[in-house]
Amino acid sequence: LNDCRVNRYHPFPTNLPDATNNVWRITIIKDSGTRLVIHCNDIEVLDFTASDSECEATTWRDTFDKDMVKIIFRLADRATDKYRPYKAKAKCASFDSTWTNVRTHPTLPVAHGVEITLMCPTNYTNKGFDKATCQDGTFVPTGQSPDCGAKCASFD
């Protein structure tokens, strides 16, 4: 952590995933202070908030309070093959317009990877599957698309 710790190289507080190829995601979050969050293969391995108590170097604000515009990989880095900006997976805010009369739990929108339960209103029957998973902005049903058929006839 350059410009924070006197020893720039600091071990991760958690064990890293044991994989031959690792995909790293480095995020700066400026909601309350400046947080550095690092994921390795979608597993969070560091959540660090820069502060006077965490940073030994007195000049840490000169670096951490600025907007991040680049990440530097040193020449000594022999493990990095390439870099690409992270693109967050899209949330699902609505479902296929052919899924008529369908209600969901939990309520929308939901994040990528979240499974929802599809329900029909009272007196309607579902002729398809009752689960779907959000995959990058689109719901994918676990099988046949849900079909809340016509209202059941009531007999007096």
Side-chain angles (χ1 to χ4, degrees), residues 96-137:
D96 190 311
S97 62
T98 63
W99 299 2
T100 57
N101 298 319
V102 176
R103 294 180 294 136
T104 66
H105 179 77
T107 56
L108 304 181
V110 297
H112 171 80
V114 172
E115 182 180 76
I116 62 169
T117 301
L118 305 167
M119 301 169 289
C120 294
T122 305
N123 296 328
Y124 284 75
T125 56
N126 185 352
K127 297 175 184 163
F129 280 80
D130 66 346
K131 302 279 186 202
T133 303
C134 177
Q135 293 187 1
D136 202 13

mmCIF file of all heavy atoms in Angstrom, residues 96-137:
data_model
loop_
_atom_site.group_PDB
_atom_site.id
_atom_site.type_symbol
_atom_site.label_atom_id
_atom_site.label_comp_id
_atom_site.label_asym_id
_atom_site.label_seq_id
_atom_site.Cartn_x
_atom_site.Cartn_y
_atom_site.Cartn_z
ATOM 1 N N ASP A 96 -39.332 -10.959 -18.789
ATOM 2 C CA ASP A 96 -39.844 -11.096 -20.148
ATOM 3 C C ASP A 96 -41.325 -10.694 -20.202
ATOM 4 O O ASP A 96 -42.122 -11.130 -19.374
ATOM 5 C CB ASP A 96 -39.664 -12.555 -20.582
ATOM 6 C CG ASP A 96 -39.944 -12.773 -22.052
ATOM 7 O OD1 ASP A 96 -41.002 -12.317 -22.530
ATOM 8 O OD2 ASP A 96 -39.120 -13.417 -22.704
ATOM 9 N N SER A 97 -41.676 -9.861 -21.175
ATOM 10 C CA SER A 97 -43.063 -9.373 -21.272
ATOM 11 C C SER A 97 -44.067 -10.490 -21.562
ATOM 12 O O SER A 97 -45.262 -10.306 -21.382
ATOM 13 C CB SER A 97 -43.161 -8.295 -22.348
ATOM 14 O OG SER A 97 -42.809 -8.827 -23.610
ATOM 15 N N THR A 98 -43.588 -11.657 -21.987
ATOM 16 C CA THR A 98 -44.515 -12.772 -22.233
ATOM 17 C C THR A 98 -44.893 -13.484 -20.938
ATOM 18 O O THR A 98 -45.780 -14.324 -20.942
ATOM 19 C CB THR A 98 -43.902 -13.799 -23.213
ATOM 20 O OG1 THR A 98 -42.732 -14.364 -22.627
ATOM 21 C CG2 THR A 98 -43.573 -13.147 -24.542
ATOM 22 N N TRP A 99 -44.219 -13.153 -19.853
ATOM 23 C CA TRP A 99 -44.537 -13.771 -18.557
ATOM 24 C C TRP A 99 -45.681 -12.968 -17.934
ATOM 25 O O TRP A 99 -45.470 -12.114 -17.094
ATOM 26 C CB TRP A 99 -43.337 -13.771 -17.630
ATOM 27 C CG TRP A 99 -42.137 -14.529 -18.115
ATOM 28 C CD1 TRP A 99 -41.979 -15.186 -19.299
ATOM 29 C CD2 TRP A 99 -40.907 -14.699 -17.421
ATOM 30 N NE1 TRP A 99 -40.735 -15.746 -19.386
ATOM 31 C CE2 TRP A 99 -40.049 -15.464 -18.237
ATOM 32 C CE3 TRP A 99 -40.432 -14.282 -16.191
ATOM 33 C CZ2 TRP A 99 -38.763 -15.821 -17.874
ATOM 34 C CZ3 TRP A 99 -39.152 -14.628 -15.820
ATOM 35 C CH2 TRP A 99 -38.330 -15.405 -16.650
ATOM 36 N N THR A 100 -46.883 -13.201 -18.358
ATOM 37 C CA THR A 100 -48.023 -12.405 -17.896
ATOM 38 C C THR A 100 -48.500 -12.866 -16.530
ATOM 39 O O THR A 100 -48.429 -14.044 -16.189
ATOM 40 C CB THR A 100 -49.187 -12.491 -18.901
ATOM 41 O OG1 THR A 100 -49.528 -13.863 -19.085
ATOM 42 C CG2 THR A 100 -48.792 -11.876 -20.234
ATOM 43 N N ASN A 101 -48.998 -11.927 -15.762
ATOM 44 C CA ASN A 101 -49.575 -12.152 -14.430
ATOM 45 C C ASN A 101 -48.578 -12.696 -13.409
ATOM 46 O O ASN A 101 -48.979 -13.171 -12.366
ATOM 47 C CB ASN A 101 -50.782 -13.107 -14.490
ATOM 48 C CG ASN A 101 -51.903 -12.552 -15.327
ATOM 49 O OD1 ASN A 101 -52.196 -11.364 -15.247
ATOM 50 N ND2 ASN A 101 -52.518 -13.386 -16.152
ATOM 51 N N VAL A 102 -47.277 -12.657 -13.699
ATOM 52 C CA VAL A 102 -46.282 -13.240 -12.788
ATOM 53 C C VAL A 102 -45.864 -12.209 -11.745
ATOM 54 O O VAL A 102 -45.601 -11.057 -12.052
ATOM 55 C CB VAL A 102 -45.048 -13.730 -13.577
ATOM 56 C CG1 VAL A 102 -43.975 -14.239 -12.642
ATOM 57 C CG2 VAL A 102 -45.452 -14.804 -14.566
ATOM 58 N N ARG A 103 -45.814 -12.661 -10.485
ATOM 59 C CA ARG A 103 -45.265 -11.860 -9.390
ATOM 60 C C ARG A 103 -43.967 -12.526 -8.948
ATOM 61 O O ARG A 103 -43.743 -13.684 -9.245
ATOM 62 C CB ARG A 103 -46.254 -11.800 -8.217
ATOM 63 C CG ARG A 103 -47.536 -11.055 -8.566
ATOM 64 C CD ARG A 103 -48.498 -11.015 -7.398
ATOM 65 N NE ARG A 103 -48.955 -12.379 -7.102
ATOM 66 C CZ ARG A 103 -49.046 -12.880 -5.868
ATOM 67 N NH1 ARG A 103 -48.716 -12.174 -4.833
ATOM 68 N NH2 ARG A 103 -49.480 -14.114 -5.688
ATOM 69 N N THR A 104 -43.112 -11.776 -8.241
ATOM 70 C CA THR A 104 -41.819 -12.323 -7.844
ATOM 71 C C THR A 104 -41.549 -12.128 -6.360
ATOM 72 O O THR A 104 -42.123 -11.266 -5.715
ATOM 73 C CB THR A 104 -40.668 -11.636 -8.607
ATOM 74 O OG1 THR A 104 -40.599 -10.275 -8.210
ATOM 75 C CG2 THR A 104 -40.846 -11.749 -10.099
ATOM 76 N N HIS A 105 -40.653 -12.970 -5.866
ATOM 77 C CA HIS A 105 -40.074 -12.792 -4.531
ATOM 78 C C HIS A 105 -38.605 -13.151 -4.649
ATOM 79 O O HIS A 105 -38.305 -14.242 -5.134
ATOM 80 C CB HIS A 105 -40.743 -13.673 -3.488
ATOM 81 C CG HIS A 105 -40.111 -13.483 -2.136
ATOM 82 N ND1 HIS A 105 -40.385 -12.389 -1.363
ATOM 83 C CD2 HIS A 105 -39.188 -14.213 -1.476
ATOM 84 C CE1 HIS A 105 -39.661 -12.478 -0.248
ATOM 85 N NE2 HIS A 105 -38.933 -13.575 -0.309
ATOM 86 N N PRO A 106 -37.665 -12.324 -4.294
ATOM 87 C CA PRO A 106 -37.863 -10.980 -3.751
ATOM 88 C C PRO A 106 -38.322 -10.006 -4.825
ATOM 89 O O PRO A 106 -38.365 -10.349 -5.993
ATOM 90 C CB PRO A 106 -36.456 -10.614 -3.248
ATOM 91 C CG PRO A 106 -35.524 -11.390 -4.097
ATOM 92 C CD PRO A 106 -36.247 -12.673 -4.432
ATOM 93 N N THR A 107 -38.645 -8.794 -4.369
ATOM 94 C CA THR A 107 -39.095 -7.782 -5.316
ATOM 95 C C THR A 107 -37.919 -7.305 -6.168
ATOM 96 O O THR A 107 -36.760 -7.445 -5.782
ATOM 97 C CB THR A 107 -39.728 -6.584 -4.584
ATOM 98 O OG1 THR A 107 -38.780 -6.071 -3.651
ATOM 99 C CG2 THR A 107 -41.006 -6.981 -3.869
ATOM 100 N N LEU A 108 -38.228 -6.767 -7.331
ATOM 101 C CA LEU A 108 -37.208 -6.330 -8.281
ATOM 102 C C LEU A 108 -36.787 -4.895 -7.985
ATOM 103 O O LEU A 108 -37.564 -4.147 -7.423
ATOM 104 C CB LEU A 108 -37.776 -6.433 -9.696
ATOM 105 C CG LEU A 108 -38.296 -7.810 -10.097
ATOM 106 C CD1 LEU A 108 -38.800 -7.783 -11.526
ATOM 107 C CD2 LEU A 108 -37.246 -8.885 -9.922
ATOM 108 N N PRO A 109 -35.594 -4.479 -8.351
ATOM 109 C CA PRO A 109 -34.571 -5.207 -9.095
ATOM 110 C C PRO A 109 -33.753 -6.116 -8.175
ATOM 111 O O PRO A 109 -33.723 -5.914 -6.961
ATOM 112 C CB PRO A 109 -33.697 -4.092 -9.683
ATOM 113 C CG PRO A 109 -33.796 -2.983 -8.684
ATOM 114 C CD PRO A 109 -35.200 -3.073 -8.123
ATOM 115 N N VAL A 110 -33.067 -7.095 -8.789
ATOM 116 C CA VAL A 110 -32.166 -7.980 -8.057
ATOM 117 C C VAL A 110 -30.819 -8.018 -8.785
ATOM 118 O O VAL A 110 -30.743 -7.769 -9.977
ATOM 119 C CB VAL A 110 -32.729 -9.410 -7.898
ATOM 120 C CG1 VAL A 110 -34.004 -9.405 -7.074
ATOM 121 C CG2 VAL A 110 -32.976 -10.067 -9.248
ATOM 122 N N ALA A 111 -29.776 -8.370 -8.054
ATOM 123 C CA ALA A 111 -28.418 -8.409 -8.602
ATOM 124 C C ALA A 111 -28.195 -9.659 -9.436
ATOM 125 O O ALA A 111 -28.908 -10.657 -9.297
ATOM 126 C CB ALA A 111 -27.410 -8.355 -7.459
ATOM 127 N N HIS A 112 -27.165 -9.598 -10.256
ATOM 128 C CA HIS A 112 -26.736 -10.748 -11.051
ATOM 129 C C HIS A 112 -26.512 -11.947 -10.124
ATOM 130 O O HIS A 112 -25.959 -11.826 -9.049
ATOM 131 C CB HIS A 112 -25.427 -10.400 -11.780
ATOM 132 C CG HIS A 112 -24.784 -11.555 -12.460
ATOM 133 N ND1 HIS A 112 -25.208 -12.012 -13.679
ATOM 134 C CD2 HIS A 112 -23.775 -12.361 -12.068
ATOM 135 C CE1 HIS A 112 -24.460 -13.049 -14.023
ATOM 136 N NE2 HIS A 112 -23.584 -13.272 -13.059
ATOM 137 N N GLY A 113 -26.994 -13.108 -10.537
ATOM 138 C CA GLY A 113 -26.791 -14.338 -9.774
ATOM 139 C C GLY A 113 -27.890 -14.665 -8.779
ATOM 140 O O GLY A 113 -27.912 -15.758 -8.221
ATOM 141 N N VAL A 114 -28.813 -13.736 -8.534
ATOM 142 C CA VAL A 114 -29.879 -13.957 -7.559
ATOM 143 C C VAL A 114 -31.009 -14.766 -8.187
ATOM 144 O O VAL A 114 -31.454 -14.476 -9.297
ATOM 145 C CB VAL A 114 -30.424 -12.617 -7.011
ATOM 146 C CG1 VAL A 114 -31.664 -12.816 -6.154
ATOM 147 C CG2 VAL A 114 -29.339 -11.895 -6.241
ATOM 148 N N GLU A 115 -31.457 -15.783 -7.466
ATOM 149 C CA GLU A 115 -32.585 -16.597 -7.926
ATOM 150 C C GLU A 115 -33.866 -16.023 -7.328
ATOM 151 O O GLU A 115 -33.902 -15.680 -6.149
ATOM 152 C CB GLU A 115 -32.419 -18.055 -7.491
ATOM 153 C CG GLU A 115 -33.553 -18.943 -7.986
ATOM 154 C CD GLU A 115 -33.387 -20.384 -7.550
ATOM 155 O OE1 GLU A 115 -33.655 -20.677 -6.365
ATOM 156 O OE2 GLU A 115 -32.980 -21.195 -8.380
ATOM 157 N N ILE A 116 -34.897 -15.913 -8.155
ATOM 158 C CA ILE A 116 -36.190 -15.422 -7.669
ATOM 159 C C ILE A 116 -37.219 -16.537 -7.785
ATOM 160 O O ILE A 116 -37.064 -17.472 -8.563
ATOM 161 C CB ILE A 116 -36.679 -14.183 -8.452
ATOM 162 C CG1 ILE A 116 -36.885 -14.518 -9.936
ATOM 163 C CG2 ILE A 116 -35.741 -13.011 -8.264
ATOM 164 C CD1 ILE A 116 -37.620 -13.443 -10.711
ATOM 165 N N THR A 117 -38.266 -16.415 -6.975
ATOM 166 C CA THR A 117 -39.403 -17.319 -7.053
ATOM 167 C C THR A 117 -40.496 -16.616 -7.837
ATOM 168 O O THR A 117 -40.814 -15.451 -7.575
ATOM 169 C CB THR A 117 -39.916 -17.672 -5.638
ATOM 170 O OG1 THR A 117 -38.845 -18.281 -4.920
ATOM 171 C CG2 THR A 117 -41.101 -18.612 -5.698
ATOM 172 N N LEU A 118 -41.045 -17.310 -8.817
ATOM 173 C CA LEU A 118 -42.109 -16.761 -9.657
ATOM 174 C C LEU A 118 -43.436 -17.289 -9.152
ATOM 175 O O LEU A 118 -43.596 -18.491 -8.946
ATOM 176 C CB LEU A 118 -41.878 -17.175 -11.114
ATOM 177 C CG LEU A 118 -40.512 -16.793 -11.675
ATOM 178 C CD1 LEU A 118 -40.240 -17.510 -12.977
ATOM 179 C CD2 LEU A 118 -40.419 -15.292 -11.858
ATOM 180 N N MET A 119 -44.371 -16.398 -8.925
ATOM 181 C CA MET A 119 -45.664 -16.780 -8.370
ATOM 182 C C MET A 119 -46.792 -16.246 -9.244
ATOM 183 O O MET A 119 -46.652 -15.204 -9.875
ATOM 184 C CB MET A 119 -45.811 -16.210 -6.960
ATOM 185 C CG MET A 119 -44.728 -16.664 -5.999
ATOM 186 S SD MET A 119 -44.739 -15.728 -4.454
ATOM 187 C CE MET A 119 -44.129 -14.145 -4.994
ATOM 188 N N CYS A 120 -47.883 -16.963 -9.246
ATOM 189 C CA CYS A 120 -49.076 -16.519 -9.957
ATOM 190 C C CYS A 120 -50.063 -15.956 -8.940
ATOM 191 O O CYS A 120 -50.079 -16.364 -7.779
ATOM 192 C CB CYS A 120 -49.728 -17.692 -10.689
ATOM 193 S SG CYS A 120 -48.720 -18.364 -12.017
ATOM 194 N N PRO A 121 -50.904 -15.014 -9.378
ATOM 195 C CA PRO A 121 -51.932 -14.490 -8.471
ATOM 196 C C PRO A 121 -52.895 -15.603 -8.045
ATOM 197 O O PRO A 121 -52.975 -16.662 -8.676
ATOM 198 C CB PRO A 121 -52.656 -13.446 -9.320
ATOM 199 C CG PRO A 121 -51.758 -13.148 -10.465
ATOM 200 C CD PRO A 121 -50.944 -14.376 -10.689
ATOM 201 N N THR A 122 -53.653 -15.341 -7.007
ATOM 202 C CA THR A 122 -54.661 -16.286 -6.526
ATOM 203 C C THR A 122 -55.589 -16.680 -7.671
ATOM 204 O O THR A 122 -55.972 -15.839 -8.483
ATOM 205 C CB THR A 122 -55.492 -15.645 -5.390
ATOM 206 O OG1 THR A 122 -54.572 -15.196 -4.391
ATOM 207 C CG2 THR A 122 -56.459 -16.631 -4.777
ATOM 208 N N ASN A 123 -55.923 -17.942 -7.730
ATOM 209 C CA ASN A 123 -56.808 -18.533 -8.732
ATOM 210 C C ASN A 123 -56.174 -18.661 -10.125
ATOM 211 O O ASN A 123 -56.861 -18.977 -11.080
ATOM 212 C CB ASN A 123 -58.143 -17.782 -8.847
ATOM 213 C CG ASN A 123 -58.940 -17.858 -7.566
ATOM 214 O OD1 ASN A 123 -58.856 -18.855 -6.840
ATOM 215 N ND2 ASN A 123 -59.679 -16.821 -7.255
ATOM 216 N N TYR A 124 -54.883 -18.401 -10.253
ATOM 217 C CA TYR A 124 -54.160 -18.635 -11.502
ATOM 218 C C TYR A 124 -53.220 -19.812 -11.276
ATOM 219 O O TYR A 124 -52.758 -20.039 -10.163
ATOM 220 C CB TYR A 124 -53.334 -17.415 -11.919
ATOM 221 C CG TYR A 124 -54.147 -16.290 -12.507
ATOM 222 C CD1 TYR A 124 -54.931 -15.469 -11.710
ATOM 223 C CD2 TYR A 124 -54.105 -16.025 -13.872
ATOM 224 C CE1 TYR A 124 -55.659 -14.418 -12.248
ATOM 225 C CE2 TYR A 124 -54.830 -14.979 -14.423
ATOM 226 C CZ TYR A 124 -55.603 -14.184 -13.604
ATOM 227 O OH TYR A 124 -56.311 -13.141 -14.142
ATOM 228 N N THR A 125 -52.925 -20.560 -12.315
ATOM 229 C CA THR A 125 -52.007 -21.689 -12.177
ATOM 230 C C THR A 125 -50.785 -21.466 -13.063
ATOM 231 O O THR A 125 -50.893 -20.959 -14.177
ATOM 232 C CB THR A 125 -52.685 -23.012 -12.586
ATOM 233 O OG1 THR A 125 -53.178 -22.874 -13.922
ATOM 234 C CG2 THR A 125 -53.819 -23.359 -11.660
ATOM 235 N N ASN A 126 -49.645 -21.865 -12.544
ATOM 236 C CA ASN A 126 -48.397 -21.729 -13.290
ATOM 237 C C ASN A 126 -48.150 -23.019 -14.055
ATOM 238 O O ASN A 126 -48.019 -24.083 -13.466
ATOM 239 C CB ASN A 126 -47.232 -21.448 -12.333
ATOM 240 C CG ASN A 126 -45.937 -21.174 -13.071
ATOM 241 O OD1 ASN A 126 -45.853 -21.328 -14.290
ATOM 242 N ND2 ASN A 126 -44.922 -20.770 -12.327
ATOM 243 N N LYS A 127 -48.056 -22.909 -15.354
ATOM 244 C CA LYS A 127 -47.838 -24.085 -16.195
ATOM 245 C C LYS A 127 -46.359 -24.230 -16.560
ATOM 246 O O LYS A 127 -46.013 -25.026 -17.408
ATOM 247 C CB LYS A 127 -48.692 -23.993 -17.448
ATOM 248 C CG LYS A 127 -50.167 -23.992 -17.138
ATOM 249 C CD LYS A 127 -50.983 -23.787 -18.391
ATOM 250 C CE LYS A 127 -52.449 -23.685 -18.021
ATOM 251 N NZ LYS A 127 -53.236 -23.105 -19.093
ATOM 252 N N GLY A 128 -45.496 -23.434 -15.948
ATOM 253 C CA GLY A 128 -44.058 -23.509 -16.206
ATOM 254 C C GLY A 128 -43.308 -23.670 -14.897
ATOM 255 O O GLY A 128 -43.871 -24.073 -13.886
ATOM 256 N N PHE A 129 -42.026 -23.333 -14.893
ATOM 257 C CA PHE A 129 -41.203 -23.439 -13.696
ATOM 258 C C PHE A 129 -41.414 -22.225 -12.811
ATOM 259 O O PHE A 129 -41.825 -21.169 -13.263
ATOM 260 C CB PHE A 129 -39.732 -23.593 -14.075
ATOM 261 C CG PHE A 129 -39.381 -24.997 -14.475
ATOM 262 C CD1 PHE A 129 -39.670 -25.462 -15.743
ATOM 263 C CD2 PHE A 129 -38.792 -25.862 -13.576
ATOM 264 C CE1 PHE A 129 -39.349 -26.761 -16.120
ATOM 265 C CE2 PHE A 129 -38.476 -27.162 -13.934
ATOM 266 C CZ PHE A 129 -38.756 -27.612 -15.208
ATOM 267 N N ASP A 130 -41.083 -22.374 -11.510
ATOM 268 C CA ASP A 130 -41.334 -21.288 -10.573
ATOM 269 C C ASP A 130 -40.060 -20.597 -10.099
ATOM 270 O O ASP A 130 -40.079 -19.841 -9.152
ATOM 271 C CB ASP A 130 -42.121 -21.799 -9.371
ATOM 272 C CG ASP A 130 -41.343 -22.795 -8.526
ATOM 273 O OD1 ASP A 130 -40.307 -23.304 -8.999
ATOM 274 O OD2 ASP A 130 -41.769 -23.063 -7.390
ATOM 275 N N LYS A 131 -38.931 -20.841 -10.763
ATOM 276 C CA LYS A 131 -37.668 -20.201 -10.385
ATOM 277 C C LYS A 131 -37.009 -19.622 -11.634
ATOM 278 O O LYS A 131 -37.128 -20.163 -12.736
ATOM 279 C CB LYS A 131 -36.688 -21.202 -9.758
ATOM 280 C CG LYS A 131 -37.201 -21.922 -8.537
ATOM 281 C CD LYS A 131 -37.063 -21.086 -7.315
ATOM 282 C CE LYS A 131 -37.469 -21.934 -6.092
ATOM 283 N NZ LYS A 131 -37.838 -21.123 -4.990
ATOM 284 N N ALA A 132 -36.292 -18.506 -11.454
ATOM 285 C CA ALA A 132 -35.490 -17.909 -12.521
ATOM 286 C C ALA A 132 -34.295 -17.235 -11.866
ATOM 287 O O ALA A 132 -34.363 -16.802 -10.716
ATOM 288 C CB ALA A 132 -36.306 -16.901 -13.324
ATOM 289 N N THR A 133 -33.180 -17.159 -12.589
ATOM 290 C CA THR A 133 -31.958 -16.556 -12.071
ATOM 291 C C THR A 133 -31.575 -15.362 -12.928
ATOM 292 O O THR A 133 -31.629 -15.430 -14.160
ATOM 293 C CB THR A 133 -30.812 -17.590 -12.073
ATOM 294 O OG1 THR A 133 -31.218 -18.727 -11.304
ATOM 295 C CG2 THR A 133 -29.548 -17.019 -11.464
ATOM 296 N N CYS A 134 -31.185 -14.275 -12.265
ATOM 297 C CA CYS A 134 -30.731 -13.085 -12.969
ATOM 298 C C CYS A 134 -29.337 -13.346 -13.526
ATOM 299 O O CYS A 134 -28.415 -13.670 -12.780
ATOM 300 C CB CYS A 134 -30.701 -11.892 -12.018
ATOM 301 S SG CYS A 134 -30.072 -10.382 -12.782
ATOM 302 N N GLN A 135 -29.196 -13.224 -14.841
ATOM 303 C CA GLN A 135 -27.901 -13.404 -15.490
ATOM 304 C C GLN A 135 -27.604 -12.194 -16.359
ATOM 305 O O GLN A 135 -28.132 -12.075 -17.466
ATOM 306 C CB GLN A 135 -27.863 -14.700 -16.301
ATOM 307 C CG GLN A 135 -27.932 -15.933 -15.425
ATOM 308 C CD GLN A 135 -27.736 -17.215 -16.214
ATOM 309 O OE1 GLN A 135 -27.530 -17.224 -17.413
ATOM 310 N NE2 GLN A 135 -27.817 -18.330 -15.501
ATOM 311 N N ASP A 136 -26.810 -11.297 -15.808
ATOM 312 C CA ASP A 136 -26.371 -10.080 -16.501
ATOM 313 C C ASP A 136 -27.525 -9.304 -17.125
ATOM 314 O O ASP A 136 -27.517 -8.975 -18.307
ATOM 315 C CB ASP A 136 -25.303 -10.409 -17.545
ATOM 316 C CG ASP A 136 -24.449 -9.188 -17.906
ATOM 317 O OD1 ASP A 136 -24.517 -8.180 -17.183
ATOM 318 O OD2 ASP A 136 -23.731 -9.256 -18.912
ATOM 319 N N GLY A 137 -28.546 -9.024 -16.321
ATOM 320 C CA GLY A 137 -29.650 -8.177 -16.742
ATOM 321 C C GLY A 137 -30.863 -8.896 -17.300
ATOM 322 O O GLY A 137 -31.878 -8.272 -17.590
#
